[in-house]
Amino acid sequence: MQFKKEPRFGRLIPAMVTPFNRDLELDLDRAQELADRLVRGGVDSIIVNGTTGESPTVFYPQKLELFRAVVRAVNGRVPVIANVGDNCTADTVYFAQDAAKLGVDGFMCVVPYYNKPPQEGLYRHFKTIADSTDMPIILYNIPGRCSINMEGETTLRLAHNCDNIVAIKEASGSMEQIKFIIDNAPADFAVYSGDDSATLDIMRLGGAGVISTIGNVAPERMKEIVDLAAREEWDAAEAANEALLPLMNGLFETSNPILVKEALSLVGFPVGGVRLPLVDATPEQSKRLAAIMREVGVLD
């Protein structure tokens, strides 16, 4: 089963890491170089300052600097999606208005974390954001980080009632819920895997592709997988997926994005460390990661 229509943001969307310098300040030059590297690697869109981009520790003024820099570097070659989601509805609305002025092509908004709203609160939160802007919005459901699950019925209410809510990044881990959304959403509503290793299973159900961590390190390899799946060349897609799966899993030995940043350093494209309360990879973690990268052919 294929996604009902060609997705507006494509099939491979890396959640770009945020480069820092030695003082853990934003390295905007490196961010632009990374964005260019991703475009040349064949990605379809780029999400800036999502979880993999350390959004919890990059403050609003820095987020805007980062959005502006990436938009300039990409220069219209692929869409740039700004993560503007917060657990305060009003803050999200105001911040989205600021981000929209910078030339981004869409927004991603995560399920509100920590305050644990009921499903009606989730619906009103996202509906309020959608009503405040004309920009296309990708929802992001990740119960493991937010402590609550946005149920399929709530996602579908938003998909049917808000024309500019165009997709969801689904990281609930529930294939039953994901299938329910895919089967009942509007034809142009895209469901993306929020987990690299689940991408092929979700695309078999009719999912659009993946919002990816490994896409920072091996964009060409992940692009091959989603393109094969989109053409329903399942045997070849399965083989390509199996070959890369050890690294998909290995990048999550510890909290993301610790190891994806380490992986970029190992391939000769260092992007700096991570901000506290995250900590850099240990020597043992780096050694294991390098071995996996060699195993899958990403590192010589």
Side-chain angles (χ1 to χ4, degrees):
M1 178 181 178
Q2 288 181 301
F3 176 62
K4 303 162 200 172
K5 292 179 65 177
E6 189 66 23
R8 69 185 296 163
F9 290 124
R11 300 190 184 278
L12 173 59
I13 310 175
M16 193 181 99
V17 303
T18 297
F20 299 133
N21 63 23
R22 290 182 180 179
D23 298 321
L24 294 181
E25 296 299 329
L26 284 183
D27 188 339
L28 295 177
D29 290 340
R30 196 58 160 169
Q32 291 186 315
E33 291 168 357
L34 177 57
D36 181 67
R37 182 177 188 267
L38 294 175
V39 173
R40 288 186 287 105
V43 307
D44 297 313
S45 298
I46 296 173
I47 284 177
V48 183
N49 203 224
T51 309
T52 305
E54 296 177 74
S55 57
T57 55
V58 177
F59 301 119
Y60 277 2
Q62 294 178 328
K63 292 178 196 288
L64 294 173
E65 289 182 58
L66 191 58
F67 298 156
R68 184 183 293 111
V70 173
V71 166
R72 287 176 177 167
V74 169
N75 194 28
R77 289 175 289 170
V78 301
V80 175
I81 302 158
N83 174 40
V84 298
D86 203 335
N87 62 344
C88 172
T89 307
D91 281 354
T92 305
V93 167
Y94 294 139
F95 184 57
Q97 290 171 351
D98 289 339
K101 300 170 185 174
L102 303 178
V104 299
D105 301 285
F107 296 142
M108 186 173 74
C109 296
V110 70
V111 164
Y113 41 88
Y114 191 74
N115 39 15
K116 298 179 74 171
Q119 295 298 309
E120 181 63 24
L122 294 180
Y123 176 78
R124 294 188 193 183
H125 170 80
F126 288 120
K127 180 75 161 57
T128 299
I129 297 166
D131 287 346
S132 75
T133 180
D134 294 327
M135 298 285 279
I137 295 169
I138 301 174
L139 308 175
Y140 182 16
N141 184 39
I142 181 163
R145 287 185 180 268
C146 295
S147 79
I148 56 169
N149 173 52
M150 184 160 67
E151 295 171 2
E153 291 86 351
T154 305
T155 298
L156 289 170
R157 281 180 72 193
L158 291 162
H160 284 286
N161 295 342
C162 305
D163 289 342
N164 59 330
I165 291 182
V166 301
I168 186 167
K169 177 182 180 182
E170 248 292 346
S172 65
S174 169
M175 288 298 168
E176 182 179 358
Q177 174 168 298
I178 291 166
K179 184 178 188 302
F180 176 69
I181 295 168
I182 291 169
D183 288 348
N184 294 283
D188 56 354
F189 185 83
V191 177
Y192 290 97
S193 175
D195 179 350
D196 287 308
S197 62
T199 302
L200 210 53
D201 289 338
I202 290 174
M203 291 189 74
R204 284 184 188 275
L205 298 176
V210 61
I211 294 176
S212 173
T213 297
I214 200 172
N216 283 277
V217 182
E220 298 93 344
R221 296 278 296 275
M222 199 65 201
K223 176 69 168 169
E224 177 189 18
I225 293 168
V226 297
D227 284 350
L228 286 167
R231 295 195 298 268
E232 297 185 295
E233 297 179 24
W234 295 114
D235 289 346
E238 190 67 51
N241 188 72
E242 193 69 21
L244 197 57
L245 191 59
L247 184 55
M248 295 182 196
N249 293 326
L251 289 174
F252 287 85
E253 177 188 329
T254 188
S255 297
N256 187 45
I258 292 169
L259 291 182
V260 69
K261 279 194 156 181
E262 182 66 15
L264 281 165
S265 180
L266 288 168
V267 298
F269 194 92
V271 290
V274 292
R275 287 178 171 175
L276 286 169
L278 297 182
V279 293
D280 292 340
T282 66
E284 294 79 13
Q285 288 170 337
S286 181
K287 183 177 179 181
R288 285 194 296 273
L289 179 62
I292 294 170
M293 292 170 69
R294 291 190 187 97
E295 175 192 342
V296 304
V298 170
L299 186 65
D300 295 333

